[in-house]
Amino acid sequence: MTREVADVALVLVSHSRELAQGAAHVAEQMAPGVLVVPAGGTEDGLGTSFDRVEEALGRAADGGRSVVVLADLGSAVLTTEAVLEMTDEDLAARVRVADAPFVEGAVAAAVTAHGGGDLAGVLASAQQAGAVFAGSGQGPAPVDPEPAAGEPDLDGAVRGRAVLRNPLGLHARPAAVLARRLAAMDARVTINGVNGASVLELMKLGLVTGDAVEVVARGAAAGDAVALVVGEVEAGFGEV
């Protein structure tokens, strides 16, 4: 059965209502099929509210969804844990608190949830987000100068290549499009050497107009995955 909203939702707990709402907005833009519930601030301003977190968790978990919580500071985690200690066991069993950067973790988790990731997968995406930009001074991985295209090579990989045409390059929106669609496919895909199902790793590449995009895929849907990436790149992600 197809659900309108992904099985895993996010709750963003921040000391600032504006920060929680802004981060939720960014994540929703990247992954429109995911319920992202902000729980920021208090009635008096900055801080975290037990009642707001409790309400957000209830809304996120409605209908049997699992929930990944991201918090901006340690005391936000404590508030969340206090709520979970007081809530019923069924809800608490479906909630995980991520040790992850607030905005980057929310984006990565949302894209994974949109692609059909389960609770463990969404949690892992959030927690891996902090490592993505470590050593960000490194440039993109080298591109194979003469890749074969369309057919599996001797190691079972299918390869493709295209050149970015859209004026803004591989920015947030097209990176999210690729990541969430590839995450739902039965294939392991790399784009210029990074995980094609990770929106943060794709954005880290910093690819701009005119750059070559090399895609390598393995698995049952490898051919479809390569065709998807090449097709989107050659079409300019609808921005040309």
Side-chain angles (χ1 to χ4, degrees):
M1 180 178 67
T2 300
R3 300 183 61 166
E4 294 184 357
V5 180
D7 290 334
V8 183
L10 306 181
V11 169
L12 307 184
V13 182
S14 171
H15 285 64
S16 164
R17 180 176 63 180
E18 290 79 9
L19 177 57
Q21 292 175 335
H25 181 65
V26 171
E28 289 168 343
Q29 290 292 309
M30 299 282 192
V34 178
L35 177 60
V36 184
V37 185
T42 68
E43 292 294 333
D44 299 324
L46 293 178
T48 53
S49 163
F50 184 101
D51 291 341
R52 289 187 178 184
V53 174
E54 183 179 45
E55 180 182 1
L57 283 173
R59 180 183 165 198
D62 186 42
R65 284 185 292 270
S66 299
V67 182
V68 170
V69 178
L70 292 104
D72 63 349
L73 294 171
S75 55
V77 175
L78 295 177
T79 301
T80 302
E81 291 176 343
V83 172
L84 292 174
E85 289 178 1
M86 298 294 291
T87 195
D88 65 82
E89 293 182 358
D90 173 68
L91 173 58
R94 290 186 281 124
V95 177
R96 298 290 185 276
V97 180
D99 181 8
F102 192 64
V103 177
E104 293 89 344
V107 169
V111 171
T112 299
H114 184 105
D118 60 11
L119 179 60
V122 174
L123 178 67
S125 287
Q127 296 186 155
Q128 291 166 2
V132 171
F133 289 97
S136 59
Q138 299 175 357
V143 175
D144 185 344
E146 295 182 356
E151 298 294 335
D153 59 18
L154 293 178
D155 67 355
V158 181
R159 300 172 185 270
R161 195 182 195 198
V163 175
L164 280 172
R165 300 176 56 230
N166 53 316
L168 297 178
L170 195 61
H171 62 92
R173 191 195 65 79
V177 168
L178 291 180
R180 66 190 186 219
R181 295 188 66 181
L182 291 176
M185 302 180 76
D186 185 11
R188 302 183 307 280
V189 184
T190 61
I191 295 177
N192 288 37
V194 306
N195 181 7
S198 169
V199 62
L200 297 182
E201 291 191 31
L202 292 177
M203 292 171 64
K204 180 184 173 184
L205 288 171
L207 299 179
V208 299
T209 307
D211 281 348
V213 173
E214 181 188 4
V215 53
V216 180
R218 293 178 173 83
D224 291 339
V226 170
L228 166 68
V229 176
V230 171
E232 290 284 358
V233 172
E234 291 182 340
F237 296 95
E239 299 175 349
V240 179

